[in-house]
Amino acid sequence: MNVEKDIKRIKICVERMNARVDNSIKKENTLAFNRIVELVLEKKENLLKTNYTITKLYVILLGFQIEKYQASLSSQIPVKELHKQIDQPLEFLVQQLCTKANDMEQRKLYESLKIDIRTHPAKKSKNTKLLETNKLAEAIKDEENFKKLFCSYWMPDQIMQGIEINVMNII
């Protein structure tokens, strides 16, 4: 596809057509042609920029997959795994991101309250369990902490809205 050649060809046609009409129509034809050319070139530029951004994202994600599977670039495993993820419905991926974000908020809440979630409750003393339970009971009186504890701080529609804004900023 060579857009520049096509534009030159159409320009010649418009010029030939303009030779047969009066000046007011020539001016309108020329303005219309220039607006269309401007739009086509802008769309082409945006398409290239978008594909370039997608290519960069693909390279980054493939790098993560290679690292995750400790594979070489010639291995098909990272590519197949990346394509499995890309083939997932967007709603599913947003829900996964929502779950991860809520889990992180929950962990940050536990850390801020100095509650050790790595130690199983059966290995904690009664006193420690009571102290941690009281900290949590006090903390969830705040609505934001309540949402963090019960993994409802982030909702899929909020995340999707943020993704759309960020993607539009990249494009």
Side-chain angles (χ1 to χ4, degrees):
M1 175 170 78
N2 192 335
V3 175
E4 284 79 14
K5 279 185 181 178
D6 293 341
I7 289 172
K8 285 178 186 176
R9 184 172 180 205
I10 294 171
K11 184 177 181 182
I12 291 169
C13 291
V14 170
E15 288 171 350
R16 285 182 184 163
M17 186 177 69
N18 277 346
R20 298 184 202 138
V21 294
D22 64 47
N23 284 339
S24 64
I25 295 175
K26 281 182 190 178
K27 188 175 184 179
E28 287 177 32
N29 288 346
T30 304
L31 285 172
F33 173 77
N34 288 337
R35 282 193 300 261
I36 291 169
V37 167
E38 195 175 292
L39 178 70
V40 167
L41 292 175
E42 183 181 315
K43 292 289 183 186
K44 179 185 173 196
E45 177 94 16
N46 286 340
L47 182 63
L48 291 172
K49 186 178 178 185
T50 301
N51 285 335
Y52 184 72
T53 302
I54 290 170
T55 302
K56 288 189 331 186
L57 288 171
Y58 186 87
V59 169
I60 291 167
L61 292 173
L62 184 57
F64 287 140
Q65 292 295 332
I66 287 171
E67 188 176 323
K68 179 180 176 181
Y69 291 102
Q70 308 249 318
S72 71
L73 251 173
S74 59
S75 173
Q76 285 301 305
I77 295 171
V79 173
K80 286 180 182 178
E81 290 302 314
L82 179 56
H83 285 233
K84 274 188 204 174
Q85 289 179 333
I86 290 171
D87 291 340
Q88 295 288 339
L90 181 60
E91 295 79 18
F92 176 75
L93 297 171
V94 169
Q95 185 59 52
Q96 279 187 319
L97 181 60
C98 184
T99 300
K100 288 178 185 178
N102 280 325
D103 288 348
M104 184 56 66
E105 292 294 340
Q106 188 182 58
R107 270 188 242 118
K108 287 182 351 189
L109 175 64
Y110 282 124
E111 286 174 11
S112 72
L113 297 173
K114 296 183 178 24
I115 295 175
D116 179 19
I117 59 172
R118 291 186 180 97
T119 305
H120 193 278
K123 294 184 177 183
K124 294 181 181 182
S125 69
K126 280 187 179 183
N127 198 22
T128 302
K129 284 190 257 187
L130 184 62
L131 183 66
E132 289 178 348
T133 303
N134 289 339
K135 282 182 189 178
L136 275 175
E138 190 62 34
I140 63 171
K141 289 179 183 176
D142 176 37
E143 185 181 346
E144 202 167 290
N145 286 339
F146 181 86
K147 288 179 178 180
K148 287 177 183 180
L149 182 66
F150 295 104
C151 295
S152 60
Y153 189 76
W154 291 103
M155 301 307 282
D157 58 329
Q158 289 174 297
I159 290 176
M160 192 61 212
Q161 189 176 27
I163 289 169
E164 287 172 357
I165 291 168
N166 288 322
V167 167
M168 293 308 292
N169 287 334
I170 289 171
I171 295 173

